[in-house]
């Protein structure tokens, strides 16, 4: 057998299959067809019903059809020594199991398996005409998202309950072109993260401006994440590389929004805390203690389980004081350096891991 790959029309990650148009050529020798002469004899394709032909089928084919415009695309050629050349042009959709863990930096290995349906290895043997050179057309093939990196052929056997059957396998490795995804997903994600950092340079008193930037970038990032999933299976167990990156970007954008919430809260806390100086707190404590000592047991039992608003506020201040920031305006200064630096470091680890491991 030999193959010519005319085209690979589609490669679907959703259905995990590919559609290809191929020229399948099969050669065998039938001594009953020997004749005198030195020229081959080409026959009408409709005469195939009168000859013995192998019952070859494509193992993982979901649907296939033989081209019949303007006539059925069959070729039968008989040589004087009884050798028969039988060629057909078919389009087939073949299943291809894909590992999308590194999508869109992934490589997929698909196969085209040719097998005998009814004749076992005692009846017929399959072999490639010229080994790896039996398959042609991939060197000049141009695909939208992939590049054919390597291909090879192999010979094996299929073992079923009914016996052992000959099988030929054509393997080809596809590498996805990442440039499209860089322009479509990665660059917009990076720009959204950088846009979220603009709020660090806006005054904390400009609440509408900072909230607007934070919420807008979060919603835009959410839309981008949803759009990146439209061309992929909805239900799968893969955590893809693009999902990891979009999750990282979303975390940084959401973190920038939380940073303003923390900074704004610390500013309000500092202003509120300045209303209760340490001396006033001490005097109020003494007043509370004196009042508590004068009040009798009946008053204590009456108010047992309840705390005065002043003591509750005091306790809250004690808790918040553990996270006290001397100058809340420095939080933005720290964020201006920590956010970009950490984002660059995570990007280095991300690209090294998914490109080289």
């Amino acid at each position: 057998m030999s193959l010519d790959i005319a085209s690979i029309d589609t490669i679907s990650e959703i259905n995990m299959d590919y559609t290809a148009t191929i020229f399948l050529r099969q050669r065998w020798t039938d001594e009953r067809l020997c004749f005198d002469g030195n020229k081959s004899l080409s026959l009408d394709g409709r005469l195939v019903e009168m000859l013995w032909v192998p019952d070859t089928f494509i193992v993982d084919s979901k649907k296939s059809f033989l081209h019949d415009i303007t006539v059925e695309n069959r070729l039968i050629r008989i040589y004087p020594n009884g050798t028969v050349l039988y060629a057909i042009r078919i389009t087939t959709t073949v299943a291809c199991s894909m590992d999308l863990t590194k999508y869109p930096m992934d490589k997929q290995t698909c196969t085209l398996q040719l097998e005998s349906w009814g004749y076992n290895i005692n009846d017929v043997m399959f072999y490639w005409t010229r080994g790896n050179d039996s398959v042609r057309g991939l060197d000049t093939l141009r695909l939208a998202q992939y590049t054919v990196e390597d291909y090879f052929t192999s010979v094996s056997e299929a073992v079923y309950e009914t016996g052992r059957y000959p099988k030929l396998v054509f393997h080809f490795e596809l590498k996805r072109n990442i440039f499209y995804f860089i322009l479509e997903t990665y660059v917009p994600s990076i720009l959204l993260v950088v846009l979220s950092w603009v709020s660090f340079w806006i005054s904390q008193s400009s609440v509408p401006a900072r909230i607007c930037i934070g919420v807008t970038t979060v919603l835009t990032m959410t839309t981008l994440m949803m759009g990146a999933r439209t061309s992929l299976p909805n239900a799968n167990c893969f955590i893809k590389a693009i999902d990891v990156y979009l999750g990282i970007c979303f975390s940084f954008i959401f973190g920038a929004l939380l940073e303003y919430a923390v900074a704004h809260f610390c500013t309000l806390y500092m202003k509120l805390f300045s209303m209760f100086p340490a001396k006033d707190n001490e005097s109020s404590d003494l007043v509370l203690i004196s009042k508590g000592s004068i009040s009798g047991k009946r008053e204590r039992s009456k108010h047992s389980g309840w705390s005065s608003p002043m003591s509750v506020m005091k306790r809250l201040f004690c808790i918040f004081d553990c996270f006290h920031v001397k100058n809340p305006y420095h939080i933005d200064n720290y964020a201006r350096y920590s956010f970009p630096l950490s984002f660059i470091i995570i990007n280095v680890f991300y690209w090294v891991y998914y490109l080289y491991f």
Side-chain angles (χ1 to χ4, degrees):
M1 293 191 188
S2 62
L3 289 174
D4 272 8
I5 309 295
S7 65
I8 298 180
D9 304 321
T10 58
I11 301 175
S12 173
E13 291 84 6
I14 297 178
N15 301 320
M16 289 200 175
D17 57 28
Y18 66 91
T19 301
T21 299
I22 62 175
F23 296 93
L24 174 61
R25 298 184 179 91
Q26 304 176 83
R27 292 179 176 85
W28 66 91
T29 300
D30 191 340
E31 297 177 354
R32 300 171 297 179
L33 299 178
C34 295
F35 63 91
D36 296 330
N38 54 6
K39 292 184 178 180
S40 62
L41 182 63
S42 297
L43 304 179
D44 190 290
R46 289 171 290 185
L47 295 177
V48 69
E49 304 294 338
M50 305 176 62
L51 301 176
W52 178 91
V53 294
D55 56 350
T56 307
F57 76 100
I58 300 174
V59 177
D60 295 325
S61 176
K62 295 182 178 181
K63 57 181 179 180
S64 303
F65 65 90
L66 176 68
H67 291 262
D68 56 1
I69 303 298
T70 58
V71 295
E72 286 191 345
N73 294 176
R74 301 176 185 263
L75 167 66
I76 301 176
R77 185 172 296 164
I78 303 176
Y79 295 87
N81 63 350
T83 299
V84 180
L85 170 62
Y86 177 49
I88 56 177
R89 177 173 173 250
I90 58 177
T91 295
T92 178
T93 300
V94 185
C96 178
S97 179
M98 299 182 183
D99 182 7
L100 300 176
T101 306
K102 292 190 175 182
Y103 178 92
M105 291 165 280
D106 56 326
K107 296 181 180 179
Q108 306 297 338
T109 300
C110 297
T111 60
L112 180 66
Q113 304 181 51
L114 303 173
E115 190 177 309
S116 175
W117 175 254
Y119 298 111
N120 58 31
I121 59 175
N122 298 321
D123 303 322
V124 66
M125 293 296 297
F126 284 1
Y127 60 92
W128 293 105
T129 306
R130 296 176 298 274
N132 290 342
D133 294 332
S134 303
V135 180
R136 298 180 178 178
L138 286 179
D139 296 331
T140 58
L141 201 62
R142 295 292 180 268
L143 302 177
Q145 290 189 15
Y146 292 90
T147 301
V148 180
E149 281 210 326
D150 190 21
Y151 61 90
F152 62 94
T153 59
S154 65
V155 180
S156 63
E157 295 180 358
V159 181
Y160 300 103
E161 185 179 353
T162 55
R164 305 167 69 91
Y165 298 86
K167 181 168 69 172
L168 299 180
V169 185
F170 169 57
H171 312 259
F172 57 99
E173 186 178 272
L174 301 171
K175 181 180 179 182
R176 196 183 304 273
N177 298 324
I178 194 177
F179 185 71
Y180 166 80
F181 297 92
I182 290 177
L183 296 179
E184 187 76 10
T185 304
Y186 284 94
V187 170
S189 301
I190 294 173
L191 293 179
L192 283 175
V193 174
V194 174
L195 179 62
S196 67
W197 297 341
V198 174
S199 63
F200 300 152
W201 276 266
I202 299 177
S203 174
Q204 291 186 10
S205 59
S206 302
V207 178
R210 297 193 64 162
I211 293 298
C212 180
I213 291 178
V215 173
T216 302
T217 50
V218 167
L219 294 178
T220 307
M221 192 67 208
T222 303
T223 305
L224 190 63
M225 294 173 68
M226 295 176 61
R229 295 174 177 270
T230 55
S231 60
L232 295 173
N234 293 327
N236 59 74
C237 59
F238 297 111
I239 299 177
K240 299 171 286 297
I242 196 169
D243 294 335
V244 174
Y245 195 83
L246 292 176
I248 292 171
C249 293
F250 184 83
S251 300
F252 273 89
I253 292 173
F254 191 73
L257 183 60
L258 290 181
E259 182 273 343
Y260 175 64
V262 173
H264 189 66
F265 173 79
C266 291
T267 303
L268 295 178
Y269 168 71
M270 184 183 67
K271 294 179 180 178
L272 187 61
F273 190 77
S274 62
M275 298 172 59
F276 298 92
K279 292 183 179 180
D280 291 347
N281 288 337
E282 292 177 0
S283 60
S284 63
D285 292 340
L286 292 176
V287 172
L288 287 173
I289 293 172
S290 61
K291 287 184 178 180
S293 61
I294 293 172
S295 59
K297 294 181 180 180
R298 186 180 302 173
E299 192 70 20
R300 290 179 182 177
S301 60
K302 182 179 178 180
H303 297 281
S304 59
W306 297 89
S307 299
S308 63
M310 190 63 69
S311 61
V312 172
M313 189 174 295
K314 179 175 176 292
R315 291 176 183 177
L316 290 176
F317 281 142
C318 291
I319 295 174
F320 294 149
D321 195 49
C322 298
F323 307 97
H324 177 65
V325 179
K326 293 183 178 179
N327 190 349
Y329 295 98
H330 289 171
I331 296 178
D332 284 342
N333 295 333
Y334 298 147
R336 292 172 188 173
Y337 299 99
S338 60
F339 271 71
L341 183 61
S342 56
F343 187 69
I344 292 173
I345 294 174
I346 291 176
N347 266 270
V348 170
F349 280 104
Y350 173 87
W351 291 104
V352 169
Y353 175 77
Y354 281 106
L355 288 178
Y356 299 104
F357 292 97

